[in-house]
Amino acid sequence: MITTIVTDIEGTTSSLSFVKEVLFPYARVHIAEFIRNHSHEPEVSELLQDAAKLTDDPTNTEALIEQMIQWIDQDQKVTPLKSLQGLIWENGYRQGDFKGHIYADAAQAMQEWHNQGIKLYVYSSGSVYAQKLLFKHTEFGDLTTLFSGYFDTHIGGKKETASYSAIAEQIETEPENILFLSDITEELDAALKAGFKTCRLVREGKVDSPNDHDTVSNFFDIKL
Ligand SMILES: CSCCC(=O)C(=O)COP(=O)(O)O
Ligand SMILES: [Mg+2]
C-alpha cells in the first residue's frame, strides 16, 4: 500500500524548459556578480570553499566562477553549485522575474493525495532551499504546505540506490510503501533496487521503449 510519494522536480512536477531555459540561464547571468557581492558572507564563503575543492586551482575566484558557469552549461549536479543557484534564484522569485513552473495536473494530484493523508516528499538535485522557493512561488500559490520534507544531493546522488535507502530510513517508511516519481530511468532503477515502487513521467515527446517502470504522461494517470 502506497502511503508516501517522493517526487523529482525537473521533467516530473515541472517542465524541463523551465529549468533549462529560465532557471539555469538566470543563474548563469547572475553568478559572477552574486559571488563578488556575497563571498564575504559565511554561508556563501563555505559553499565557495566546497566548490573550490573540486577545481584545479582552489585559490583563484575568477577561475572558480568560470568553472561554475561551465558546470551550469553542462548541467553538472555539483552540490555546492546547486546550493549557490538556490541563493541566486531567490532574487528572481522575490522580484517576480519568474514563478516556479508546476504542471496543473501535478499541482491538483498532489493536493488530492495530501488531502487523502498521503505523505509527500521532494527529492531533486536542486538544493532543498531551491526546492522550497520553487514550490512557494507557483501560479497555484504556495504549495510548500503539501510536503512533509525535502531531499537534495546531500543525501547522495539520484542514480545511487543508497540514496533511496537513506531517504526511506530518514522518513521511517518501508520502501515498498513509497512511490518514487521521476522522468529519468536511471533514477527509477536506483529507487526500484532500494525496494521503492516507481512511476516514470514522460512529459514531452513519445513514450519510448518499455522498461521496468509504469510510465504515464501526467499525474492523473498515476495508480497508487
Ligand atoms: C529545485 S529546482 C531546480 C532544479 C535543478 O536545479 C535541477 O538540477 C533539476 O534536478 P532534478 O533532480 O529535479 O531533475
Ligand atoms: Mg528529473
Side-chain angles (χ1 to χ4, degrees):
M1 180 191 158
I2 299 298
T3 60
T4 303
I5 295 174
V6 177
T7 185
D8 166 56
I9 294 180
E10 180 191 319
T12 303
T13 60
S14 308
S15 71
L16 285 168
S17 58
F18 171 63
V19 175
K20 298 220 186 311
E21 290 164 26
V22 178
L23 289 182
F24 287 178
Y26 189 91
R28 193 184 199 283
V29 165
H30 291 94
I31 195 163
E33 181 196 7
F34 181 87
I35 289 174
R36 290 185 196 117
N37 291 342
H38 297 272
S39 58
H40 60 283
E41 294 168 15
E43 183 185 10
V44 175
S45 162
E46 199 176 316
L47 291 172
L48 292 175
Q49 284 170 42
D50 289 347
K53 284 181 202 149
L54 305 170
T55 67
D56 296 334
D57 182 1
T59 58
N60 184 337
T61 304
E62 293 306 313
L64 179 58
I65 290 170
E66 279 312 306
Q67 176 63 78
M68 290 210 265
I69 288 174
Q70 205 177 321
W71 285 336
I72 292 173
D73 290 345
Q74 295 167 347
D75 191 8
Q76 297 275 325
K77 311 295 190 189
V78 178
T79 301
L81 167 68
K82 302 310 287 184
S83 297
L84 277 169
Q85 283 178 325
L87 300 176
I88 296 167
W89 292 329
E90 181 180 2
N91 271 335
Y93 286 112
R94 289 249 160 89
Q95 290 171 188
D97 293 339
F98 46 79
K99 281 185 185 291
H101 176 264
I102 307 289
Y103 289 106
D105 56 270
Q108 192 181 322
M110 290 194 297
Q111 183 67 62
E112 285 166 12
W113 293 332
H114 177 72
N115 295 347
Q116 289 164 21
I118 290 169
K119 292 220 163 188
L120 298 173
Y121 293 87
V122 180
Y123 180 29
S124 167
S125 302
S127 68
V128 165
Y129 190 62
Q131 297 170 25
K132 288 179 179 171
L133 283 169
L134 190 153
F135 285 110
K136 192 174 172 61
H137 300 90
T138 81
E139 64 174 284
F140 306 101
D142 180 355
L143 300 183
T144 56
T145 51
L146 302 180
F147 298 104
S148 300
Y150 302 81
F151 296 95
D152 61 21
T153 51
H154 284 96
I155 200 137
K158 294 182 72 187
K159 296 178 182 170
E160 291 162 27
T161 297
S163 305
Y164 298 88
S165 302
I167 289 173
E169 201 175 310
Q170 206 155 311
I171 65 180
E172 298 179 348
T173 306
E174 290 301 319
E176 76 230 38
N177 298 133
I178 308 174
L179 175 66
F180 176 58
L181 310 177
S182 176
D183 59 322
I184 303 291
T185 303
E186 293 94 321
E187 295 176 5
L188 294 160
D189 289 344
L192 193 64
K193 277 199 196 123
F196 284 39
K197 302 282 190 310
T198 55
C199 181
R200 186 168 63 122
L201 273 293
V202 178
R203 289 292 192 171
E204 287 154 34
K206 283 201 174 132
V207 173
D208 54 8
S209 54
N211 60 21
D212 295 335
H213 314 285
D214 283 348
T215 299
V216 297
S217 60
N218 68 74
F219 274 37
F220 295 140
D221 291 339
I222 294 169
K223 290 182 195 70
L224 301 188

